[in-house]
Amino acid sequence: MKILCDADFIVYKACAAAESEIDWGDDTILVTSNFSDAYNATKRELTKLENKLGSFSTLILFFTDSVNFRKKILESYKGHRNRKKPCGYKRVINALRKEYKVIIKPTLEADDTMGIYATKYPGNIIASPDKDMRQIPGQLYNFDETFTIDKDEGARWHLIQTLAGDQTDGYGGVPGIGVKRAEALFKEKGYSWDTVVKVFKDRDLSEEDALVNARLAKILTVDDYDFKNKRPILWSPKADYTIDSGARPKAEAN
């Protein structure tokens, strides 16, 4: 079994913690970083993960590319996250390449690359705290519990996120609708694209607005990537796109 690790947040947190500031006065502040502290903190977190999920498993680290294809769908996507990466971020990643397999795909976020890998090579486990990964069938460790997600559950979660949006990523879904309200609407009206469009239109939004949100919310799988041309295939619903209803995944004992 391979552990597919969303390493973006681990390295970011470690590098941010290793930063310090020197105030020279006269409006000058110098930001410095201790590489060894950042790298060792990263290694400690990765070792914890391996010990939790199986030290004999292969750990693969996934990172987000500097170019994001979703910005072509919505220019303001993650527009509030313009802060530069902390000092040493790229250097830590380059050092990790010497010990681990590191995967970064052009224009893709780490979530997408993990989704593609996990569905192309099933039987592995994704390690990520990001709720978006509940779209990907298979095992998911969210750094608290381990879940098994089936294909229909993943598709339902995608529609839920389409309605609820994700403020941290900069797309709003339907104003006033969160995850719980979205789940209630789908249970009442059925998990379908028709339901999505109706809810958007009820709030004076268009089907195009719904499609933009659905494409931003969708985590790529092996079926959503053009390997020949190395680019994502944007999600589009079929005319009768409907998903069986079902229960949310239950946590498993670790």
Side-chain angles (χ1 to χ4, degrees):
M1 182 184 74
K2 294 182 176 66
I3 302 170
L4 315 181
C5 175
D6 178 358
D8 269 334
F9 86 100
I10 293 176
V11 174
Y12 190 101
K13 182 173 67 174
C15 289
E19 283 187 340
S20 59
E21 296 181 352
I22 302 174
D23 189 344
W24 294 100
D26 297 325
D27 293 330
T28 302
I29 299 174
L30 177 67
V31 179
T32 64
S33 176
N34 186 295
F35 170 76
S36 295
D37 287 348
Y39 188 72
N40 290 336
T42 299
K43 286 281 294 180
R44 285 194 296 271
E45 291 303 312
L46 295 178
T47 299
K48 286 181 185 178
L49 182 61
E50 288 178 301
N51 290 338
K52 179 70 175 179
L53 298 180
S55 57
F56 295 103
S57 300
T58 300
L59 183 61
I60 304 177
L61 308 182
F62 293 80
F63 292 92
T64 296
D65 188 44
S66 58
V67 178
N68 193 321
F69 80 91
R70 286 183 175 84
K71 286 188 174 292
K72 290 187 176 180
I73 302 172
L74 184 69
E75 188 175 353
S76 61
Y77 179 75
K78 289 190 175 179
H80 59 295
R81 297 190 185 184
N82 288 327
R83 183 186 183 277
K84 72 175 185 65
K85 293 290 193 294
C87 291
Y89 182 82
K90 290 184 178 179
R91 184 177 173 185
V92 169
I93 294 175
N94 287 333
L96 290 170
R97 292 178 187 273
K98 299 175 183 178
E99 296 189 58
Y100 302 92
K101 183 174 182 178
V102 170
I103 299 180
I104 305 173
K105 279 190 174 293
T107 77
L108 302 189
E109 297 182 54
D111 292 354
D112 300 302
T113 312
M114 286 190 295
I116 292 168
Y117 192 102
T119 50
K120 185 176 183 180
Y121 306 107
N124 300 304
I125 182 168
I126 291 174
S128 172
D130 196 329
K131 64 182 183 300
D132 295 349
M133 301 313 298
R134 296 184 80 116
Q135 295 182 33
I136 303 301
Q139 284 190 296
L140 170 64
Y141 174 61
N142 67 357
F143 288 82
D144 183 31
E145 301 173 299
T146 300
F147 300 88
T148 297
I149 300 165
D150 64 30
K151 187 174 181 179
D152 282 349
E153 172 58 29
R156 289 193 293 271
W157 188 249
H158 170 231
L159 293 187
I160 289 168
Q161 287 193 288
T162 299
L163 287 190
D166 190 331
Q167 297 301 325
T168 62
D169 284 345
Y171 67 97
V174 178
I177 292 184
V179 169
K180 290 185 178 180
R181 178 57 179 155
E183 288 180 315
L185 285 169
F186 282 123
K187 287 178 181 177
E188 176 188 349
K189 303 176 183 297
Y191 282 87
S192 70
W193 183 244
D194 284 343
T195 298
V196 172
V197 173
K198 185 178 186 306
V199 175
F200 269 82
K201 288 185 175 181
D202 285 346
R203 298 299 178 92
D204 295 322
L205 297 168
S206 67
E207 184 169 356
E208 180 62 27
D209 293 322
L211 185 58
V212 166
N213 278 270
R215 286 176 169 175
L216 293 172
K218 183 70 170 68
I219 302 302
L220 304 183
T221 69
V222 67
D223 296 324
D224 306 311
Y225 190 71
D226 181 344
F227 287 89
K228 180 179 179 180
N229 295 302
K230 298 183 179 179
R231 62 189 182 191
I233 300 169
L234 298 184
W235 185 84
S236 293
K238 297 178 180 178
D240 59 346
Y241 187 77
T242 303
I243 307 162
D244 291 337
S245 61
R248 295 281 294 278
K250 296 181 179 179
E252 301 174 345
N254 290 319

